[in-house]
Amino acid sequence: MAVATAAALLAALGGALWLATRPRVQQLPGGANPGLMHGKTVLITGANSGLGRATAAELLRLGARVIMGCRDRARAEEAAGQLRRELSQAGAPEPGPDAGRAGELVVKELDLASLRSVRAFCQEMLQEEPRLDVLINNAGIFQCPYMKTEDGFEMQFGVNHLGHFLLTNLLLGLLKSSAPSRIVVVSSKLYKYGDINFEDLNCEQSYNKSFCYSRSKLANILFTRELARRLEGTNVTVNVLHPGIVRTNLGRHIHIPLLVKPLFNLVSWAFFKSPIEGAQTTIYLASSPEVEGVSGKYFGDCKEEELLPKAMDDAIARKLWDISEVMVGILK
């Protein structure tokens, strides 16, 4: 018990010292301007919690019209209500159709584990939305037990890659007609531990939840690079990022022993980014004039970063794209 107490105290002290000395969250160019995103419509997947919610809150503050694409409509409506109250308490008008520079908040149901849901969502978007300035592919599932999507895909690959692949392709026409427009893809540094095994994309021969998550995040990067190539000359850009280690509910499938939880919570509070800190690069790529015209790049902490060679393999990226088109039914 004494050892555990000492360890907890050391962790707390270390965390306090780190918090006192670490750099402040980067202030985004134009971030003080509440009208930076005025007149822009932004779609964020998984916007009801974590990084997505923090991104929605900031883009609302910057004047954007934000569409929350979420699987659980009730939770999304609850989060939207909280965001409206927070914005109002901060001194801005509540988001609404006539809220002007404060933006507007719209909730739409979107289940990325269902191609049927993705298609229905996109049909609704194309019928109701005259423009789409920014698409943020943020939603994800992390290291879950082996499960399959409605269409029979391994859950992490199906949601993190295939669901967003279909979503993006079905909305490309709207993004092109709204150009200049942007696509932002949230990946992870854990892509480094994955590879694309075309013989077992569905992980039916073997399943390792950590490896399969990394594979889906590598797929995000390869998708971004191939999409950037295909979008050349359209004035639609696409970039991918890693947010760092963030305190969110993404790790809900990770089992932490009860006795270790207090120490884990202490360490995560001290060393992990808050959601708003983790969302800074997403917000930067969605709104900053600095990255206007930049496409096909990988970012972390609002700066371009190098990729491992396997994430820059254009032949693998094209092959993954072609197979993904067949998997989601774009090509028969």
Side-chain angles (χ1 to χ4, degrees):
M1 182 64 71
V3 173
T5 302
L9 288 172
L10 285 172
L13 178 60
L17 289 172
W18 181 79
L19 284 169
T21 57
R22 67 174 174 163
R24 293 177 61 85
V25 178
Q26 178 175 341
Q27 293 297 311
L28 301 178
N33 176 10
L36 180 65
M37 294 293 287
H38 182 57
K40 307 259 185 207
T41 295
V42 181
L43 167 59
I44 308 173
T45 65
N48 62 288
S49 64
L51 290 173
R53 186 189 185 286
T55 301
E58 180 61 14
L59 292 178
L60 274 172
R61 189 186 72 79
L62 296 178
R65 179 174 183 270
V66 175
I67 300 172
M68 302 170 66
C70 302
R71 178 178 58 84
D72 189 323
R73 190 177 187 93
R75 289 180 58 197
E77 293 285 5
E78 182 181 357
Q82 292 171 348
L83 286 170
R84 292 184 181 104
R85 288 191 294 273
E86 288 171 11
L87 197 63
S88 179
Q89 289 167 4
E94 279 200 13
D98 301 313
R101 299 175 73 84
E104 180 185 355
L105 195 56
V106 178
V107 173
K108 291 184 183 290
E109 188 173 330
L110 170 63
D111 184 357
L112 291 159
S114 165
L115 298 183
R116 174 182 50 80
S117 175
V118 174
R119 291 182 184 278
F121 173 87
C122 290
Q123 184 177 8
E124 184 179 341
M125 283 285 297
L126 296 176
Q127 289 174 346
E128 297 181 358
E129 299 298 330
R131 64 181 301 110
L132 179 60
D133 299 277
V134 184
L135 167 62
I136 301 178
N137 290 340
N138 165 81
I141 189 166
F142 177 73
Q143 295 192 12
C144 61
Y146 188 77
M147 298 185 288
K148 289 187 176 181
T149 68
E150 179 180 287
D151 305 279
F153 305 127
E154 185 276 314
M155 186 64 71
Q156 295 185 92
F157 190 75
V159 170
N160 299 352
H161 170 60
L162 291 175
H164 282 119
F165 179 88
L166 179 61
L167 176 77
T168 305
N169 273 279
L170 293 179
L171 294 178
L172 273 182
L174 186 57
L175 286 158
K176 288 177 181 178
S177 68
S178 307
S181 53
R182 305 181 185 188
I183 302 167
V184 180
V185 180
V186 179
S187 182
S188 167
K189 271 191 173 182
L190 294 177
Y191 86 86
K192 298 175 181 180
Y193 305 103
D195 62 52
I196 306 297
N197 178 5
F198 290 109
E199 303 304 315
D200 190 27
L201 281 178
N202 219 29
C203 296
E204 292 176 332
Q205 298 174 19
S206 64
Y207 181 73
N208 178 289
K209 62 183 182 180
S210 299
F211 169 79
C212 288
Y213 176 76
S214 295
R215 170 185 288 177
S216 72
K217 294 291 102 177
L218 175 59
N220 289 157
I221 298 172
L222 293 168
F223 161 71
T224 298
R225 290 179 59 83
E226 176 61 12
L227 180 57
R229 185 184 71 81
R230 291 168 179 256
L231 288 175
E232 287 178 1
T234 65
N235 216 9
V236 181
T237 61
V238 54
N239 292 290
V240 62
L241 68 105
H242 75 83
I245 304 176
V246 186
R247 297 190 303 274
T248 71
N249 65 353
L250 191 64
R252 59 189 177 275
H253 293 292
I254 303 299
H255 174 69
I256 300 170
L258 190 60
L259 292 176
V260 180
K261 273 192 175 181
L263 183 57
F264 175 81
N265 291 337
L266 184 64
V267 171
S268 67
W269 179 83
F271 294 99
F272 295 2
K273 291 180 179 180
S274 67
I276 188 58
E277 289 175 318
Q280 288 301 299
T281 306
T282 304
I283 298 162
Y284 174 72
L285 291 175
S287 64
S288 175
E290 285 190 358
V291 289
E292 185 174 349
V294 175
S295 193
K297 304 301 182 183
Y298 174 69
F299 285 79
D301 291 328
C302 302
K303 297 176 183 176
E304 186 181 342
E305 295 188 359
E306 294 294 322
L307 286 164
L308 294 180
K310 66 180 175 181
M312 297 188 293
D313 190 321
D314 292 336
I316 295 295
R318 284 193 292 271
K319 185 174 180 179
L320 177 63
W321 183 284
D322 292 342
I323 290 175
S324 298
E325 282 187 321
V326 173
M327 294 177 80
V328 302
I330 292 177
L331 292 181
K332 302 296 185 182

